[in-house]
Amino acid sequence: DHRDLHSFPTRRSSDLKRNGKTYRRIAVNVYGQVKRINCGILPQKAFNVILGLVDEIEGLKAVGGQIDETLKTRLEKITPKIKEQLTRVGLLRQPKSIPRFSEFAAEFVSQKLAAREIKPRTARAYRGIIKVFVECVGDLKVNEITEETINTFKAERSKNAASSTVGTDLKRVKGVIRHAIKKKWLADDP
């Protein structure tokens, strides 16, 4: 769009009349670019609901917030076509598939290493423990890890490692789990 983006409001709605029908659309300023959401033919009440959702999502994005359960429930009520439009313009994200523990943990270690929060030797130790954890309990999806999973790991690891080693290993696994909680893959620490 050729308009000055700094003067463009966060959101603007418009109607386009063709052949006696009113097509509703929303123009949104997303990260400095004007994007259009074509809502099609909608009654005013339904269009107002979508405008409210757009405003709420933009407000959350502005403060770095997450979409809560109430907003998720409201989003489920809109049509897939509108949801696809909101995703296309960048207001909603594509749902990600839940990663397996091994890939999530490997990414965690790589990030820590790149940020120089851990040394290469510690990264190798983490990778070794990730492998042992997967051998003991399987390569579960991150959200499938439970207290029972951790207890199984402790029991299996205790069969051929000293208790101090098991404690260190468990501390590293818990570090990955805390990262999963921070990323919202797990609700709480098992």
Side-chain angles (χ1 to χ4, degrees):
D1 215 12
H2 65 281
R3 292 183 207 92
D4 179 19
L5 291 172
H6 299 292
S7 66
F8 189 83
T10 306
R11 179 224 4 115
R12 183 171 54 208
S13 63
S14 62
D15 293 343
L16 176 67
K17 297 191 188 269
R18 281 195 187 149
N19 302 329
K21 296 180 181 176
T22 303
Y23 296 86
R24 302 188 186 276
R25 60 187 179 183
I26 306 168
V28 185
N29 185 345
V30 181
Y31 303 116
Q33 292 185 318
V34 177
K35 308 271 185 152
R36 288 191 180 18
I37 301 168
N38 296 312
C39 299
I41 302 169
L42 285 176
Q44 186 64 44
K45 187 176 178 181
F47 188 60
N48 288 342
V49 168
I50 292 169
L51 288 174
L53 287 170
V54 168
D55 288 344
E56 198 168 336
I57 292 167
E58 284 190 314
L60 286 170
K61 280 188 170 286
V63 297
Q66 298 285 326
I67 293 177
D68 63 6
E69 291 304 314
T70 307
L71 185 53
K72 279 183 187 175
T73 303
R74 289 176 42 216
L75 282 168
E76 287 171 5
K77 294 178 183 175
I78 63 174
T79 66
K81 181 180 174 185
I82 301 294
K83 208 179 289 186
E84 184 272 322
Q85 292 272 332
L86 293 173
T87 303
R88 181 185 56 79
V89 300
L91 289 176
L92 294 177
R93 281 187 266 147
Q94 289 286 357
K96 293 181 183 177
S97 61
I98 298 167
R100 300 245 170 230
F101 180 81
S102 62
E103 67 185 85
F104 182 80
E107 182 183 318
F108 167 75
V109 172
S110 295
Q111 288 173 356
K112 289 277 208 189
L113 192 58
R116 297 181 183 252
E117 294 176 21
I118 60 174
K119 295 179 181 177
R121 184 176 174 178
T122 307
R124 280 192 300 277
Y126 263 106
R127 288 183 187 113
I129 279 311
I130 293 165
K131 185 178 176 185
V132 170
F133 184 83
V134 170
E135 288 171 359
C136 289
V137 298
D139 197 8
L140 303 170
K141 289 187 175 187
V142 174
N143 67 336
E144 296 173 341
I145 297 172
T146 62
E147 184 177 356
E148 185 179 327
T149 308
I150 299 300
N151 291 336
T152 301
F153 171 69
K154 282 196 291 192
E156 289 296 316
R157 190 70 176 132
S158 295
K159 290 178 183 175
N160 54 13
S163 62
S164 60
T165 303
V166 173
T168 303
D169 294 350
L170 194 56
K171 188 169 89 173
R172 290 194 171 120
V173 168
K174 289 285 194 172
V176 175
I177 289 172
R178 279 191 297 280
H179 187 64
I181 293 167
K182 184 178 171 186
K183 293 288 187 182
K184 309 277 189 229
W185 291 118
L186 269 174
D188 54 8
D189 193 343

